[in-house]
Amino acid sequence: MTIGKIQLPDWSAELFKPHRYKVMHGGRGSAKSWTVARVLLILAASKTLRVGCFREVQESIRESVHRLLSDQIQQLGLGAHFEVTQNEIRCPSTGSLFVFAGLAQHTVESIKSFEGLDVAWVEEGQSVSKRSWDVLTPTIRRPGSEIWITFNPHLETDETWVRFVVNAAPGSWVRAINWRDNPWFPPELEQERLATKQRDPDNYPNIWEGEPLRVAEGVPVPILAGTTDCRAS
């Protein structure tokens, strides 16, 4: 789909519709985070939107999606509409605001400062603990507020997978998004995908198809390396 001159994958149309939970899970190369960043910037440039961007642990702004949003502002030609500071991103014409935080660092009391958010975007959701979800979800309480989650599943027992995919709340939009759903899937990643399929067929379904790993008693679970390519998540 195309909005003005901005191109988005077809599945992103659902992001413009109201859902309390928008859950996007899958393997590498799907452009989940890249697409969410674009959609949020489009919305923030058209109306007042307060967005909190969260990860389980964020020691510095460099560990957030601040850089991804900043890059997308330039790629979309929206530099005249947004002010990018060290800790925030603002759209003066609409009053929109993006803030960034790590969930693990917050208590029930300190996270109350985010009660006024319209959207809470939780990136790398596979790492978010039960405690963090129990603190965050009742805090996002503004009428019409939404929680957007992007993640590459790790274990089938992970809190985020169990809570938002296996036991999705009524009215949630839950979508598996993988490399084949990315119309801009680059040839470099296709080479990596095929190489992984040949070299490591046991872990290929988790890495590239977003299937969570099953946990067998007494069997160590591999820790999979992440990626810094925004098109790859």
Side-chain angles (χ1 to χ4, degrees):
M1 64 180 292
T2 302
I3 298 179
K5 295 182 179 180
I6 300 173
Q7 293 184 319
L8 297 166
D10 290 341
W11 60 262
S12 68
E14 206 68 30
L15 294 176
F16 293 91
K17 301 176 184 179
H19 298 284
R20 170 61 175 174
Y21 294 102
K22 297 174 178 176
V23 184
M24 292 149 277
H25 61 89
R28 295 180 181 177
S30 63
K32 296 184 295 296
S33 303
W34 183 87
T35 301
V36 166
R38 287 197 162 199
V39 171
L40 287 174
L41 290 170
I42 291 169
L43 292 173
S46 62
K47 63 181 180 180
T48 303
L49 200 68
R50 295 178 61 86
V51 182
C53 303
F54 300 99
R55 290 178 56 172
E56 175 69 359
V57 177
Q58 180 185 298
E59 298 295 340
S60 69
I61 200 70
R62 289 179 296 178
E63 296 177 350
S64 72
V65 295
H66 183 279
R67 178 61 181 271
L68 172 57
L69 288 163
S70 300
D71 289 346
Q72 287 301 311
I73 287 171
Q74 298 306 314
Q75 290 185 26
L76 298 176
L78 296 175
H81 298 276
F82 288 91
E83 293 179 353
V84 179
T85 69
Q86 185 175 355
N87 297 312
E88 298 178 343
I89 296 177
R90 295 179 176 272
C91 182
S93 62
T94 63
S96 292
L97 172 68
F98 290 79
V99 295
F100 307 85
L103 293 171
Q105 291 97 318
H106 282 278
T107 65
V108 173
E109 290 302 316
S110 66
I111 208 168
K112 286 184 178 180
S113 61
F114 298 110
E115 286 181 0
L117 294 178
D118 298 295
V119 176
W121 175 17
V122 180
E123 169 69 332
E124 296 190 5
Q126 75 276 5
S127 301
V128 177
S129 67
K130 180 180 185 300
R131 177 260 180 199
S132 292
W133 284 124
D134 288 344
V135 170
L136 179 67
T137 53
T139 300
I140 310 304
R141 64 183 69 177
R142 188 171 182 171
S145 59
E146 300 182 346
I147 297 174
W148 298 23
I149 308 167
T150 48
F151 71 108
N152 295 3
H154 185 207
L155 304 179
E156 63 179 0
T157 55
D158 285 342
E159 178 66 21
T160 301
W161 179 262
V162 173
R163 183 182 292 223
F164 296 106
V165 179
V166 178
N167 298 302
S172 298
W173 177 68
V174 182
R175 176 72 147 79
I177 304 166
N178 288 303
W179 60 272
R180 60 180 59 82
D181 300 302
N182 178 3
W184 305 281
F185 190 69
E188 293 81 5
L189 285 184
E190 174 64 2
Q191 293 175 12
E192 292 292 334
R193 185 185 73 82
L194 293 176
T196 303
K197 194 171 187 178
Q198 182 176 12
R199 179 186 66 251
D200 191 3
D202 290 339
N203 284 310
Y204 172 85
N206 173 255
I207 298 170
W208 290 98
E209 303 295 344
E211 298 178 13
L213 295 170
R214 292 188 174 185
V215 181
E217 186 175 353
V219 177
V221 176
I223 305 238
L224 302 175
T227 176
T228 56
D229 187 337
C230 66
R231 296 173 301 172
S233 58

